């Protein structure tokens, strides 16, 4: 869009890019720490911040702001949103610091649906940090956590959990990033790289060279 966006402790900044490729003077857009900018199909922006979820219009005016007390009904966690994603169908999902995964229902009323709340046996732990959200071309939402990865089938509301542990005594595998390129899906983890094989619904481990 002709701008370079940067998130810093002091807030969200936007740098205009000139025709020559040089960066212009920084403009402060939001005075809170922003961890993720997710463009929406309508030209607006979803922002994951340390002060909850923001929604800005194309002119960078605030459409809505929902603090963690609305994102996480039991007020678990410190309030930061680590990631936000808008699915191909327009649904918005939010990864909360130590608060699990929530789905936006009504941004103006501050209504969110918790997915994988405490005690939910389907796999997502409400007290587990979620580091990465990605949607594949089959509309499956992949959720990288401190305890492996989850695949959420939104249509059927089913969750599939993959621990990624290679043996019983292995510590939990943390998934920091989910990378999707066409039919290929890779996980960047605390135990090297994992590659997903859709035909067998399994992951192959690739140890990194020392």
């Amino acid at each position: 869009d002709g701008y370079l966006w940067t998130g810093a402790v002091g807030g969200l900044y936007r740098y205009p890019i000139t025709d020559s490729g040089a960066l212009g003077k920084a403009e402060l857009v939001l005075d809170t720490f922003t961890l993720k900018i997710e463009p929406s199909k309508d030209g607006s922006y979803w922002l994951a911040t340390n002060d909850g979820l923001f929604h800005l219009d194309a002119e960078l005016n605030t459409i809505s702001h929902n603090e963690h007390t609305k994102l996480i009904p039991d007020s678990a966690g410190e309030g930061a949103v680590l990631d936000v994603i808008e699915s191909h169908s327009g649904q918005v999902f939010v990864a909360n610091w130590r608060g699990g995964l929530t789905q936006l229902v009504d941004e103006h009323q501050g209504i969110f649906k918790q997915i994988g709340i405490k005690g939910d046996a389907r796999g997502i732990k409400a007290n587990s940090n979620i580091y990465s959200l990605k949607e594949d071309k089959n509309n499956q939402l992949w959720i990288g956590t401190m305890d492996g990865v989850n695949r959420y089938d939104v249509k059927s509301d089913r969750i599939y959990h993959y621990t990624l542990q290679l043996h019983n005594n292995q510590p939990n595998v943390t998934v920091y990033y989910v990378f999707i390129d066409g039919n290929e899906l890779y996980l960047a983890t605390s135990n090297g790289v994992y590659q997903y094989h859709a035909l067998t619904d399994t992951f192959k481990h690739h140890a990194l060279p020392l």
Side-chain angles (χ1 to χ4, degrees):
D1 57 3
Y3 293 95
L4 172 68
W5 298 80
T6 62
V9 175
L12 174 66
Y13 293 87
R14 186 175 72 166
Y15 296 80
I17 302 175
T18 66
D19 293 338
S20 63
L23 295 180
K25 185 178 180 181
E27 172 191 1
L28 179 63
V29 176
L30 196 69
D31 60 351
T32 188
F33 185 22
T34 302
L35 295 97
K36 170 75 177 292
I37 306 169
E38 173 78 353
S40 178
K41 296 177 179 62
D42 63 4
S44 61
Y45 302 93
W46 296 99
L47 305 181
T49 81
N50 65 333
D51 189 26
L53 178 69
F54 282 83
H55 190 194
L56 306 184
D57 64 20
E59 286 72 39
L60 307 182
N61 300 305
T62 301
I63 298 174
S64 66
H65 171 215
N66 284 285
E67 299 177 345
H68 76 286
T69 52
K70 294 183 178 179
L71 291 159
I72 313 169
D74 61 5
S75 297
E78 290 77 11
V81 173
L82 298 182
D83 204 351
V84 58
I85 188 171
E86 182 178 296
S87 70
H88 299 136
S89 60
Q91 296 167 298
V92 176
F93 296 91
V94 182
N96 306 284
W97 173 261
R98 300 188 68 81
L101 180 70
T102 50
Q103 180 181 349
L104 176 64
V105 177
D106 187 322
E107 63 176 299
H108 301 293
Q109 296 295 321
I111 301 174
F112 292 81
K113 169 190 173 184
Q114 280 193 297
I115 300 170
I117 60 176
K118 187 175 182 180
D120 191 328
R122 295 182 300 172
I124 302 175
K125 296 181 179 179
N127 63 348
S128 177
N129 291 341
I130 296 174
Y131 290 103
S132 183
L133 298 175
K134 283 289 188 300
E135 184 185 22
D136 65 24
K137 68 177 188 178
N138 297 315
N139 306 118
Q140 302 289 297
L141 184 65
W142 292 89
I143 306 151
T145 76
M146 294 178 65
D147 181 21
V149 70
N150 300 280
R151 175 170 58 86
Y152 179 41
D153 187 321
V154 181
K155 186 176 181 180
S156 66
D157 194 33
R158 295 187 63 185
I159 297 173
Y160 304 86
H161 180 60
Y162 308 80
T163 66
L164 305 177
Q165 291 170 303
L166 303 177
H167 51 79
N168 293 334
N169 297 325
Q170 180 181 343
N172 288 349
V173 176
T174 299
V175 177
Y176 295 106
Y177 189 75
V178 180
F179 176 78
I180 298 177
D181 183 13
N183 294 322
E184 299 296 329
L185 186 149
Y186 295 90
L187 306 177
T189 80
S190 58
N191 188 42
V193 175
Y194 288 77
Q195 180 182 9
Y196 180 64
H197 292 275
L199 290 178
T200 57
D201 192 28
T202 59
F203 281 90
K204 179 181 179 181
H205 177 243
H206 297 275
L208 298 179
L210 298 177

